[in-house]
């Protein structure tokens, strides 16, 4: 009995030892992952917030605990504008604060600025200026503070330059004296001594010239309603870092200023800008940083696109813009906006001023330089995935096939936005996947508005709008209540007007309507067209996202609906739909 008990104890001990050994192995394995896996450590040290997912075509929200999101929502509800309009202006202020502090590196090692070019298109009465004032108040306050400091430095400079000029005069007198002495002693033993004294004074003059006091540069951070050439001159004479903030973008988009838009492209890239003039002094701007935040009414944009749109697309100015035309709330406001949370606004303003102060020190001290932030290893992989998606969208019939200039700049805008958010929120030195994914979702929405409002209408869209009108007019039978029309292709070619009589153009339009989900083949040469998306699957192309066919409902205005029990199953208009 005793031997059996001992045997049981030994077996139990062996079991416990094996169990502890397994735990030790697992713990060691986990420690190896945590301590030595670069991806894990990099992501862990980066942002770990909770960013809600958004549906395609919807403006995404950022982490609810971030300064960016909380401040944007506070201002949006107070001023009574849509959140995306507030986020856009918040992003502009954040970019102004960050542009002098950090640059960002692509996964391939290319280094770019963190400046942004943003355009808000909204009617008068949309409270553009009110939103701007909330986010740029701290920027203006910091600018005024620096201007006061510049005035004090100017008094010191005037004293120093006065003393310096007196020193120049004294050295000139000494030089004159020694020069006269050298002439007078020529041919004597004292000539060599006089000449050496003159050369010594000339060396002192060179040294004195090198120490000429420089006037303090005016801290002009905000330029409002100026032309590109005047802006470039300001970046040369004042600090080389600024924001072009225009509540009425006419000064930039109208008149002679259009010819100088290429200057803004160079500045966006951070490249040196050389301005050569005939009548006045030429100048250069070295290593500039400029964020552009333009606001304009639709009629200004329409007039600009009509007159110079093609030129602006070709020179790349429009392609760099992050565009938003926010939903209008005019006539829908209830005056229910509460006061903003003071602590939220103060925290946002404090962070803006903190970054601006840091950028000011970098400008003043040549030993300091902007920090370079990079992507975490995992974010680099995701960056490459996004890049590949955008690149494929520039292929024929892709999303950016007719806007390749814009598509080629989109990845850089995504990168810059991620860097601005990461820096402003003070997450880490490396950009993580969460911030990159949010920036991608946000920039996709800006891109959709660019395609709709600035890109111009591709030929296939022009043709399809015309074809849809002719289908409605010439359909052999229809169910207007259901929004369905049945037609023969031969009838369109024989009796149709315009592009419908062109075989290749008509065929391309029919294929296009199929991809948009509004047309299906019933038989040889026989088709069904529907005002709503046909079938139960999402279409290959989405109207209002990939293209903007005015004669069709936008994809986002429709929803899939299933009544169940074998009843209706398909797409219908959302209850919230309002005609465009």
């Amino acid at each position: 009995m005793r031997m059996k008990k001992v045997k049981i104890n030994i077996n139990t001990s062996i079991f416990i030892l094996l169990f502890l050994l397994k735990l030790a192995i697992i713990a060691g394995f986990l420690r190896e992952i945590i301590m030595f896996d670069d991806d894990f450590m990099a992501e862990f040290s980066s942002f770990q917030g909770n960013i809600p997912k958004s549906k395609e075509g919807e403006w995404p929200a950022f982490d609810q605990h971030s300064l960016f999101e909380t401040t944007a929502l506070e201002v949006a509800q107070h001023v009574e504008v849509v959140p995306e309009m507030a986020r856009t202006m918040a992003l502009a202020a954040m970019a102004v604060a960050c542009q002098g502090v950090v640059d960002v590196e692509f996964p391939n090692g290319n280094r770019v600025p963190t400046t942004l070019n943003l355009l808000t298109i909204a009617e008068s009465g949309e409270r553009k200026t009110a939103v701007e004032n909330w986010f740029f108040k701290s920027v203006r306050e910091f600018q005024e503070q620096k201007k006061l400091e510049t005035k004090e430095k100017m008094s010191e400079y005037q004293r120093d330059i006065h003393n310096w000029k007196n020193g120049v005069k004294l050295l000139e007198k000494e030089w004159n004296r020694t020069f006269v002495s050298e002439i007078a002693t020529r041919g004597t033993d004292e000539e060599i001594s006089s000449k050496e004294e003159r050369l010594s004074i000339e060396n002192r003059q060179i040294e004195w010239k090198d120490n000429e006091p420089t006037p303090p540069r005016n801290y002009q951070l905000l330029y409002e309603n100026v032309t590109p050439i005047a802006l470039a001159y300001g970046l040369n004479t004042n600090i080389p870092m600024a924001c072009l903030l225009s509540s009425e973008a006419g000064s930039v988009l109208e008149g002679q200023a259009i010819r100088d838009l290429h200057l803004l492209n160079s500045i966006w890239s951070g490249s040196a800008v050389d301005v050569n003039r005939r009548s006045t002094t030429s100048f250069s701007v070295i290593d500039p940083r400029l964020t552009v935040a333009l606001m304009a009414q639709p009629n200004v944009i329409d007039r600009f696109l009509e007159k110079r749109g093609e030129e602006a697309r070709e020179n790349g100015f429009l392609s760099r813009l992050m565009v938003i035309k926010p939903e209008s709330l005019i006539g829908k406001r209830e005056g229910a906006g509460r006061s903003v949370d003071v602590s939220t606004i103060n925290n946002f303003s404090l962070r803006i001023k903190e970054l601006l102060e840091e950028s000011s020190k970098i400008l003043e001290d040549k030993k300091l330089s902007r920090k370079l932030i990079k992507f975490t290893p995992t974010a680099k992989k995701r960056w490459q995935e996004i890049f590949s998606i955008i690149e494929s969208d520039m292929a024929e019939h892709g999303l950016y096939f007719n806007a390749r200039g814009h598509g080629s700049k989109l990845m850089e805008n995504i990168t810059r936005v991620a860097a601005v958010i990461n820096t402003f929120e003070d997450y880490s030195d490396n950009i993580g996947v969460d911030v990159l994914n949010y920036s991608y979702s946000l920039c996709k929405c800006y891109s959709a508005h660019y395609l709709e409002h600035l890109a111009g209408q591709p030929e296939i869209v022009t043709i399809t709008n015309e074809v849809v009108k002719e289908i409605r007019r010439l359909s052999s039978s229809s169910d207007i209540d259901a929004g369905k029309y049945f037609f023969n292709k031969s009838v369109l070619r024989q009796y149709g007007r315009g592009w419908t009589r062109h075989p290749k153009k008509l065929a391309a339009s029919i294929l296009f309507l199929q991809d948009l989900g509004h047309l299906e083949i019933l038989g040889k040469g026989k088709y069904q067209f529907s005002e709503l998306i046909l079938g139960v699957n999402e279409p290959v192309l989405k109207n209002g996202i990939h293209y903007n066919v005015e004669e069709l409902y936008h994809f986002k205005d429709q929803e899939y609906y299933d009544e169940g029990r074998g009843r209706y199953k398909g797409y219908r208009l959302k209850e919230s739909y309002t005609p465009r």
Side-chain angles (χ1 to χ4, degrees):
M1 190 74 180
R2 188 174 177 182
M3 288 294 292
K4 189 176 182 181
K5 187 174 183 180
V6 170
K7 188 176 181 180
I8 292 171
N9 288 339
I10 291 171
N11 290 337
T12 303
S13 299
I14 292 171
F15 175 78
I16 292 171
L17 284 171
L18 288 172
F19 178 73
L20 291 173
L21 182 62
K22 285 182 180 179
L23 285 178
I25 291 170
I26 293 170
F29 177 71
L30 288 174
R31 186 177 64 182
E32 287 289 322
I33 293 174
I34 295 172
M35 294 303 292
F36 299 108
D37 190 285
D38 289 340
D39 282 24
F40 181 90
M41 290 304 294
E43 293 299 332
F44 184 78
S45 64
S46 185
F47 168 66
Q48 293 293 307
N50 180 27
I51 302 177
K53 291 184 178 180
S54 59
K55 296 180 180 179
E56 185 174 7
E58 290 184 357
W59 290 91
F62 193 55
D63 176 44
Q64 61 181 341
H65 302 297
S66 66
L67 272 177
F68 172 44
E69 184 69 14
T70 53
T71 310
L73 293 181
E74 280 293 313
V75 171
Q77 65 78 27
H78 174 71
V79 182
E80 291 187 282
V81 297
V82 290
E84 52 267 27
M85 183 175 175
R87 289 191 194 103
T88 301
M89 197 50 62
L91 196 59
M94 290 158 59
V96 173
C98 294
Q99 64 186 359
V101 178
V102 296
D103 290 338
V104 60
E105 184 180 272
F106 285 7
N108 64 5
N110 187 31
R111 180 173 185 158
V112 298
T114 54
T115 57
L116 300 175
N117 286 5
L118 301 117
L119 171 64
T120 301
I121 305 171
E123 294 282 3
S124 176
E126 293 290 0
R127 302 182 177 177
K128 301 186 294 291
T129 305
V131 175
E132 174 211 301
N133 288 338
W134 274 106
F135 291 108
F136 275 84
K137 181 182 178 184
S138 54
V139 180
R140 289 192 171 92
E141 289 174 348
F142 187 83
Q143 177 178 261
E144 291 308 309
Q145 174 195 329
K146 284 296 178 182
K147 284 187 174 182
L148 289 175
E149 292 177 9
T150 301
K151 284 184 179 180
E152 294 175 2
K153 290 178 181 178
M154 183 58 74
S155 298
E156 295 177 9
Y157 164 74
Q158 289 172 346
R159 183 192 65 229
D160 292 342
I161 196 68
H162 176 75
N163 293 336
W164 182 84
K165 287 178 179 178
N166 286 339
V168 171
K169 291 177 182 178
L170 288 172
L171 286 171
E172 285 177 352
K173 286 181 180 180
E174 286 189 42
W175 188 89
N176 290 334
R177 177 182 56 78
T178 56
F179 182 71
V180 170
S181 176
E182 184 180 345
I183 293 174
T185 58
R186 185 165 294 172
T188 67
D189 295 339
E190 295 179 4
E191 181 184 1
I192 296 175
S193 177
S194 297
K195 186 176 181 180
E196 288 177 351
E197 186 178 359
R198 177 177 60 80
L199 292 174
S200 174
I201 292 171
E202 287 177 356
N203 288 332
R204 286 164 59 195
Q205 284 178 316
I206 293 171
E207 185 179 344
W208 192 256
K209 177 64 177 175
D210 291 340
N211 291 320
E212 179 180 359
T214 54
R217 302 183 85 172
N218 186 31
Y219 198 90
Q220 186 66 43
L221 189 58
L222 296 178
Y223 292 82
E224 303 186 46
N225 302 320
V226 298
T227 62
I229 197 74
L231 175 64
Y233 183 74
L235 290 171
N236 169 255
T237 56
N238 303 317
I239 59 172
M241 180 183 78
C243 173
L244 175 57
L245 186 66
S246 178
S247 56
E248 295 300 333
S251 61
V252 179
L253 302 179
E254 294 181 332
Q256 297 298 317
I258 297 174
R259 296 184 305 179
D260 302 320
L261 287 178
H262 66 279
L263 293 174
L264 297 182
N265 296 343
S266 298
I267 295 172
W268 182 83
S269 302
S271 305
V273 176
D274 296 318
V275 179
N276 297 312
R277 292 173 162 181
R278 291 182 180 178
S279 56
T280 56
T281 306
S282 300
F283 62 89
S284 298
V285 183
I286 308 299
D287 198 27
R289 291 295 181 271
L290 175 73
T291 286
V292 176
L294 302 178
M295 291 172 282
Q297 295 183 30
N299 63 329
V300 173
I301 298 300
D302 292 342
R303 192 162 56 244
F304 168 73
L305 292 176
E306 183 180 346
K307 292 182 178 179
R308 308 298 286 268
E310 196 61 37
E311 179 185 338
R313 290 188 196 98
E314 289 176 359
N315 69 28
F317 172 71
L318 292 183
S319 300
R320 290 166 168 81
L321 289 174
M322 296 163 57
V323 183
I324 178 173
K325 188 177 183 183
E327 177 190 350
S328 176
L329 294 185
I330 295 176
K332 303 175 186 177
R333 300 186 181 104
E334 299 176 353
R338 58 172 175 77
S339 300
V340 296
D341 182 71
V342 176
S343 63
T344 299
I345 295 296
N346 286 345
N347 288 337
F348 184 89
S349 299
L350 187 65
R351 182 58 177 158
I352 290 284
K353 291 179 179 179
E354 186 180 274
L355 289 165
L356 287 175
E357 183 61 46
E358 188 176 345
S359 67
S360 178
K361 290 177 181 177
I362 293 171
L363 286 173
E364 293 171 2
D365 191 343
K366 293 181 179 180
K367 295 179 182 178
L368 299 176
S369 61
R370 288 184 293 270
K371 185 190 300 181
L372 181 64
I373 60 173
K374 305 179 181 182
F375 289 92
T376 65
T378 306
K380 285 182 180 180
K381 294 175 185 176
R382 177 58 178 151
W383 191 97
Q384 293 291 353
E385 291 172 2
I386 296 170
F387 178 86
S388 297
I389 292 170
I390 295 171
E391 187 67 21
S392 64
D393 280 340
M394 287 192 281
E396 188 175 6
H397 302 310
L399 179 59
Y400 301 116
F401 175 63
N402 297 291
R404 286 176 171 174
H406 168 72
S408 67
K409 297 293 183 292
L410 181 56
M411 194 68 234
E412 184 163 344
N413 270 332
I414 293 168
T415 301
R416 292 179 181 218
V417 169
V420 168
I421 293 174
N422 198 78
T423 302
F424 190 79
E425 298 296 341
D426 200 21
Y427 287 144
S428 73
D429 292 338
N430 294 318
I431 303 168
V433 172
D434 285 339
V435 173
L436 176 58
N437 281 334
Y438 173 77
S439 302
Y440 176 41
S441 298
L442 181 64
C443 288
K444 278 204 300 183
C445 290
Y446 287 127
S447 181
H449 279 223
Y450 172 88
L451 294 175
E452 183 174 352
H453 303 294
L454 290 190
Q457 194 174 81
E459 183 185 59
I460 188 64
V461 172
T462 304
I463 294 169
T464 301
N465 276 320
E466 192 171 289
V467 167
V468 169
K469 291 177 184 177
E470 291 302 286
I471 289 173
R472 293 183 185 128
R473 187 175 72 87
L474 297 172
S475 59
S476 57
S477 61
S478 61
D479 183 350
I480 295 176
D481 291 335
K484 293 184 178 179
Y485 301 82
F486 304 91
F487 68 94
N488 291 324
K489 186 177 179 180
S490 58
V491 172
L492 279 183
R493 288 183 57 185
Q494 185 176 359
Y495 300 104
R497 296 174 294 200
W499 291 111
T500 56
R501 302 175 74 94
H502 193 294
K504 289 185 178 179
K505 302 293 185 183
L506 177 59
S509 179
I510 286 174
L511 288 174
F512 186 55
L513 284 169
Q514 283 181 264
D515 287 341
L516 288 168
H518 287 267
L519 186 143
E520 65 179 4
I521 302 173
L522 299 179
K524 187 175 181 180
K526 296 181 179 180
Y527 301 90
Q528 176 188 190
F529 167 78
S530 173
E531 302 285 3
L532 297 172
I533 294 170
L534 292 162
V536 297
N537 298 318
E538 285 191 2
V540 176
L541 299 176
K542 299 177 178 65
N543 192 37
I545 296 176
H546 297 107
Y547 289 88
N548 185 38
V549 182
E550 293 177 359
E551 291 297 318
L552 302 176
Y553 292 116
H554 279 184
F555 174 78
K556 68 178 182 180
D557 294 328
Q558 304 174 66
E559 62 183 358
Y560 177 73
Y561 179 67
D562 185 353
E563 289 185 353
R565 297 183 180 179
R567 296 179 181 177
Y568 177 78
K569 185 187 293 184
Y571 282 85
R572 66 179 183 182
L573 280 178
K574 292 180 180 177
E575 292 183 4
S576 59
Y577 167 73
T578 53
R580 298 191 301 276

